[in-house]
Amino acid sequence: MNPETAGQVFHSARDEFALWSARLWRPLGELLTAVSRPAPGERVFDACCGAGASALPAAHAVGPGGVVDAVDAAEGLVADAARQAEAAGLTQARFHTGDVLTWDDGAEPHDGYDGYDVVQCGYGVFFFPDMDAGARALLRRLRPGGRFAVSSWLAGGMERIVPVGHAAAVPERPELAQGQRPSANERLNSEEKMRSWLLSLGLVDVEVHPVDYRFPLHPDDAWTFYLGAALRGFVQGLPPEALERVRARFEAGLREAGLGTLDASSLLGTGRVPG
Ligand SMILES: C[S@@+](CC[C@H](N)C(=O)[O-])C[C@H]1O[C@@H](n2cnc3c(N)ncnc32)[C@H](O)[C@@H]1O
């Protein structure tokens, strides 16, 4: 997905995305921060920050002496994150709307600053038009020896819902039948694949941690999940009656596939650029 499309889809998903923050994005964002381990006073770049799932915990961790620059293309999610930071008095968290691959804070290089201590990206790298080039662009923001942390979906979980959501939308959007581009998440959906990928980026001290995370998925919630996540891209702009048909097919598809559980099991990968 190019950044403009990602920004539009997730911006319009704002309300439904928010419904999923407490049960999905925030807990998993906390876990990403548990492995990136920002320390008091450190500088963190949170790429694809969404509504602040990992940026807010990072801001707590770095404290008032540190900085978190958090960037996302979806203006509405960024606004929600900024509001939460303000309410919590986290002035060290700075939220920005933009493309994480090109965002520039305009600051002049100055003595004593040679990059971020931590770059973290929760469920974002697989959206980049070129995942490897995108990840390398993120790594260039790190100081020598700085830490990178990334999360992806484990095979057999979230990936199973996407084809059901796609099939439900195709009758309304025949052009989608041309074939779905495989998600780059498939390149990061096992411990071995994630480890090899991080090593291929030149990182050292690579670690990959699997996380079991699943819970019952009520059909009403399944639909808000559809509208609050990247699946929304399939139905963007459809009129309400068409959306209702997609919803009915999606719910039937989940029943047929035996998907009564949202399996958001994940992989958390970390590594360090040599320094
Ligand atoms: C699945 S959400 C995850 C958000 C957040 N990290 C979390 O864990 O809750 C993916 C996010 O990536 C953002 N995104 C994708 N590509 C982007 C890019 N090139 N620049 C900025 N944001 C991007 C989308 O706007 C979306 O908010």
Side-chain angles (χ1 to χ4, degrees):
M1 238 190 237
N2 66 47
E4 293 78 37
T5 309
Q8 283 160 13
V9 169
F10 280 93
H11 172 72
S12 63
R14 178 181 189 170
D15 292 345
E16 290 84 4
F17 189 95
L19 294 175
W20 284 85
S21 272
R23 75 183 76 157
L24 181 68
W25 303 116
R26 272 308 290 270
L28 291 167
E30 290 277 355
L31 293 179
L32 182 62
T33 313
V35 297
S36 68
R37 305 197 62 74
E42 284 195 319
R43 299 173 61 91
V44 176
F45 184 77
D46 192 293
C48 304
C49 65
S54 50
L56 293 167
H60 279 288
V62 299
V67 167
V68 176
D69 278 318
V71 180
D72 197 284
E75 193 183 347
L77 300 192
V78 171
D80 288 344
R83 208 181 32 246
Q84 291 175 71
E86 195 182 348
L90 296 169
T91 51
Q92 62 272 33
R94 312 188 297 204
F95 288 94
H96 318 271
T97 302
D99 176 359
V100 297
L101 303 178
T102 56
W103 177 80
D104 179 2
D105 69 356
E108 296 296 322
H110 54 273
D111 286 347
Y113 172 62
D114 54 359
Y116 290 95
D117 300 294
V118 174
V119 169
Q120 54 185 28
C121 184
Y123 310 101
V125 289
F126 42 77
F127 288 115
F128 297 159
D130 177 336
M131 184 169 77
D132 297 353
R136 288 201 167 88
L138 295 186
L139 295 179
R140 284 195 288 276
R141 296 184 183 276
L142 282 168
R143 66 164 167 78
R147 308 180 313 275
F148 183 58
V150 66
S151 51
S152 66
W153 307 115
L154 198 53
M158 209 55 106
E159 292 171 353
R160 287 184 63 207
I161 289 198
V162 177
V164 179
H166 178 259
V170 166
E172 313 299 331
R173 280 270 162 77
E175 69 274 18
L176 290 176
Q178 299 310 317
Q180 215 188 326
R181 226 185 62 187
S183 162
N185 185 74
E186 285 177 27
R187 293 182 49 210
L188 303 179
N189 66 4
S190 74
E191 284 182 65
E192 201 33 59
K193 288 194 225 173
M194 170 76 93
R195 185 183 314 282
S196 310
W197 183 67
L198 293 171
L199 290 170
S200 77
L201 295 173
L203 295 170
V204 297
D205 298 340
V206 165
E207 289 185 19
V208 180
H209 306 272
V211 172
D212 261 349
Y213 197 81
R214 65 193 94 191
F215 50 91
L217 182 63
H218 188 279
D220 292 345
D221 294 343
W223 185 238
T224 65
F225 179 74
Y226 195 117
L227 295 180
L231 287 168
R232 187 183 186 104
F234 297 141
V235 297
Q236 194 82 321
L238 286 179
E241 60 279 10
L243 280 179
E244 275 311 309
R245 291 192 293 272
V246 176
R247 176 181 182 156
R249 280 186 219 108
F250 180 55
E251 290 174 4
L254 290 178
R255 278 195 300 277
E256 273 165 37
L259 285 168
T261 297
L262 187 75
D263 184 349
S265 295
S266 296
L267 290 167
L268 307 173
T270 57
R272 201 168 52 72
V273 289

